[in-house]
């Protein structure tokens, strides 16, 4: 395919309810969308960076800068056989995984359409539906949290993940565990602890958690391995896995027994698939995380989640949990069994709501090949 044009835009989208993690609170999203044109076909993807560099080091604005200054010049006008070739073409760029994924993933959508395959099928998907969990942000009180947990369980979600931070952890988890002894329950600290908290973190072992996600530093693997040796609870790494070599290091060191794969955080579908293949070969369960995406990022996540080895419920949930209206039609819907049906039509498998995208666009830039 010949890469004819690339359009970036920022959309202002209001979350239905604020989402609080150990690193901050989000009320509104600035969503960055990528639209590409190749061989007359349009592909879409989402840059999953957040507004601030508090999850990882990228932001929506650094991604924009890297795409405009470095990714676009490297790929515009190029003739490629497959989206899988893009990582090699842009390999000189250090880091900026979410910016790279934003570009690469749009071409996976194009390639799927060109081959008349769903994105899931193109990537090697084998599951016709995916298992869904929810990630619940920090809440004002345990009572409020318990109400939210009840709502999500009633909706059918198969796993509840609680955000925790020092001072809002053991009591909160205990309240949920006491109310729901049998559910799959996990916690995510987004790097809010250090090894000085070892004794404190050991106390989570009593809750029979499915996993504890990224308790220590965002860029650390070795100390997670030290911690894992002292815990019964399985550690899961999110932030600190940027590519398959990180995943390999983590597994070799025993830093995690589960890996959260986010297609943006690891630089795109090609890299996500390498991690998936590694974990499958080593019998390490994986699941697909989320970054408060709109429907376009969500559609990519659904395709990713359908690959072999994604055996645990992920954080990919219904559009209506986040948005009054989503940019895809139909919005992502979750069955009463807590599953999402993987689309089978070519590409992302959802109709793109250009009208809404235009209405919510606050900034737009297009580059065209000559
Ligand atoms: O660590 O998984 C995370 C949201 C923003 C940044 C990081 C994380 C999250 C979530 C929510 O947990 C996942 C989602 O529902 O999109
Ligand atoms: Mg996480």
């Amino acid at each position: 395919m010949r890469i004819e044009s690339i359009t970036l835009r920022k959309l202002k989208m209001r979350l239905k309810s604020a989402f609080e993690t150990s690193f901050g609170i989000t009320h509104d999203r600035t969503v960055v969308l990528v639209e590409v044109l190749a061989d007359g076909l349009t592909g879409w993807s989402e840059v999953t960076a957040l507004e601030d560099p508090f999850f990882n080091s990228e932001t929506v604005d650094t991604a924009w800068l890297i795409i405009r200054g470095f990714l676009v010049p490297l790929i515009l006008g190029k003739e490629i056989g497959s989206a899988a070739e893009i990582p090699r073409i842009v390999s000189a760029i250090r880091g900026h995984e979410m910016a790279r994924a934003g570009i690469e993933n749009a071409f996976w959508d194009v390639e799927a359409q060109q081959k008349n395959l769903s994105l899931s099928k193109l990537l090697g998907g084998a599951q016709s539906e995916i298992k869904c969990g929810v990630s619940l942000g920090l809440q004002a009180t345990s009572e409020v949290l318990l109400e939210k947990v009840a709502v999500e369980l009633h909706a059918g979600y198969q796993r509840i993940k609680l955000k925790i931070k020092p001072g809002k952890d053991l009591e909160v988890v205990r309240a949920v565990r006491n109310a729901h002894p049998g559910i799959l329950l996990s916690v995510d600290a987004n790097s809010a602890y250090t090894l000085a908290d070892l004794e404190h973190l050991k106390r989570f072992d009593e809750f029979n958690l499915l996993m504890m996600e990224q308790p220590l530093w965002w860029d650390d693997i070795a100390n997670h391995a030290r911690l894992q040796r002292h815990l019964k609870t399985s550690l899961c790494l999110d932030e600190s896995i940027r590519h398959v070599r990180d995943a390999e290091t983590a597994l070799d060191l025993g830093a995690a027994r589960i890996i959260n794969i986010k297609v943006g955080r690891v630089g795109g579908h090609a890299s996500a698939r390498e991690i998936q293949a590694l974990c499958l070969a080593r019998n390490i369960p994986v699941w697909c995380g989320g970054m408060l995406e709109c429907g376009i990022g969500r559609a990519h996540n659904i395709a990713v989640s359908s690959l072999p080895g994604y055996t645990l419920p992920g954080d990919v949930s219904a559009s209506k949990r986040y948005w009054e209206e989503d940019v895809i039609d139909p919005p992502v819907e979750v069955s009463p069994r807590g599953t999402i049906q993987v689309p089978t039509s070519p590409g992302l498998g959802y109709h793109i709501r250009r009208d809404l995208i235009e209405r919510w666009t606050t900034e737009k830039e297009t580059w065209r090949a000559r």
Side-chain angles (χ1 to χ4, degrees):
M1 62 179 99
R2 182 177 135 85
I3 299 174
E4 289 154 19
S5 79
I6 298 171
T7 298
L8 268 191
R9 42 172 108 222
K10 272 188 193 167
L11 271 62
K12 203 45 140 195
M13 289 180 71
R14 160 130 300 197
L15 284 168
K16 265 171 122 173
S17 52
F19 192 85
E20 185 171 357
T21 63
S22 63
F23 58 74
I25 181 157
T26 307
H27 298 271
D28 294 296
R29 286 297 334 275
T30 297
V31 170
V32 175
L33 293 182
V34 182
E35 178 184 1
V36 301
L37 190 68
D39 296 353
L41 292 168
T42 297
W44 288 91
S45 74
E46 180 169 344
V47 175
T48 63
L50 298 180
E51 296 73 13
D52 311 299
F54 302 157
F55 168 76
N56 64 5
S57 64
E58 297 186 77
T59 73
V60 292
D61 291 308
T62 67
W64 194 290
L65 229 54
I66 292 295
I67 290 172
R68 178 211 277 135
F70 303 97
L71 285 161
V72 166
L74 281 173
I75 68 165
L76 201 61
K78 282 255 155 66
E79 185 73 47
I80 57 171
S82 164
E85 294 171 21
I86 292 179
R88 196 181 37 79
I89 299 172
V90 305
S91 66
I93 298 172
R94 306 294 184 238
H96 300 286
E97 289 82 9
M98 289 170 167
R100 285 192 273 125
I103 294 299
E104 182 191 316
N105 292 352
F107 293 102
W108 283 100
D109 180 21
V110 170
E111 184 172 338
Q113 294 172 57
Q114 208 160 42
K115 294 179 171 165
N116 208 27
L117 293 171
S118 66
L119 179 60
S120 161
K121 273 280 169 311
L122 177 63
L123 292 172
Q127 316 181 45
S128 61
E129 57 176 29
I130 65 167
K131 296 181 197 167
C132 308
V134 292
S135 172
L136 291 172
L138 292 162
Q139 305 295 323
T141 65
S142 288
E143 290 67 48
V144 174
L145 177 63
L146 281 169
E147 257 171 58
K148 302 223 170 206
V149 169
V151 167
E152 304 300 1
L153 291 173
H154 186 73
Y157 285 100
Q158 300 184 16
R159 183 226 61 200
I160 302 288
K161 160 172 142 185
L162 308 175
K163 291 291 189 180
I164 56 167
K165 69 173 183 182
K168 251 191 178 167
D169 48 10
L170 290 169
E171 309 68 49
V172 175
V173 178
R174 182 169 296 115
V176 174
R177 184 44 103 198
N178 285 343
H180 305 283
I183 63 168
L184 289 182
L185 184 64
S186 65
V187 294
D188 186 357
N190 289 110
S191 307
Y193 300 88
T194 73
L195 270 191
D197 301 309
L198 175 62
E199 290 307 314
H200 181 73
L201 292 171
K202 276 181 170 174
R203 297 180 62 192
F204 286 84
D205 279 348
E206 69 174 279
F207 301 126
N208 187 27
L209 298 176
L210 179 61
M211 71 191 90
M212 175 186 287
E213 194 177 335
Q214 200 76 33
L216 307 178
W217 303 271
W218 72 283
D219 59 349
D220 178 88
I221 294 174
N223 285 297
H224 281 98
R226 290 199 178 96
L227 175 61
Q228 181 68 90
R229 276 180 229 129
H230 297 277
L231 298 184
K232 275 197 288 194
T233 306
S234 293
L235 292 182
C236 168
L237 291 179
D238 175 359
E239 281 89 327
S240 56
I241 304 299
R242 302 157 301 171
H243 40 60
V244 71
R245 289 172 290 101
D246 279 341
E248 207 166 5
T249 302
L251 299 184
D252 287 350
L253 293 181
R257 299 181 191 140
I258 297 173
I259 288 181
N260 166 345
I261 299 180
K262 287 180 179 167
V263 67
R265 192 199 69 224
V266 304
H269 285 305
S271 169
R273 225 163 43 169
E274 289 176 348
I275 298 171
Q276 170 262 343
L278 171 80
C279 291
L280 189 64
R282 297 210 191 177
N283 251 313
I284 294 291
V286 301
W287 55 281
C288 180
M291 293 295 293
L292 310 176
E293 290 96 339
C294 77
I296 290 176
R298 229 159 263 280
H300 280 275
N301 289 343
I302 291 167
V304 164
S305 306
S306 70
L307 269 66
Y310 283 79
T311 52
L312 296 172
D315 275 349
V316 187
S317 61
S319 296
K320 70 172 182 204
R321 295 190 60 248
Y322 303 83
W323 317 111
E324 214 56 71
E325 254 188 311
D326 203 347
V327 299
I328 55 170
D329 187 46
V332 173
E333 275 156 4
V334 169
S335 78
R337 292 178 295 115
T339 59
I340 295 172
Q341 204 65 37
V342 179
T344 52
S345 49
L348 293 182
Y350 293 88
H351 170 72
I352 306 293
R353 290 283 308 270
R354 262 181 194 284
D355 55 333
L356 293 180
I357 290 175
E358 284 299 341
R359 194 187 307 160
W360 296 336
T361 294
T362 58
E363 249 179 279
K364 178 175 167 181
E365 206 170 342
T366 298
W367 301 272
R368 290 187 183 81
R370 278 180 274 194

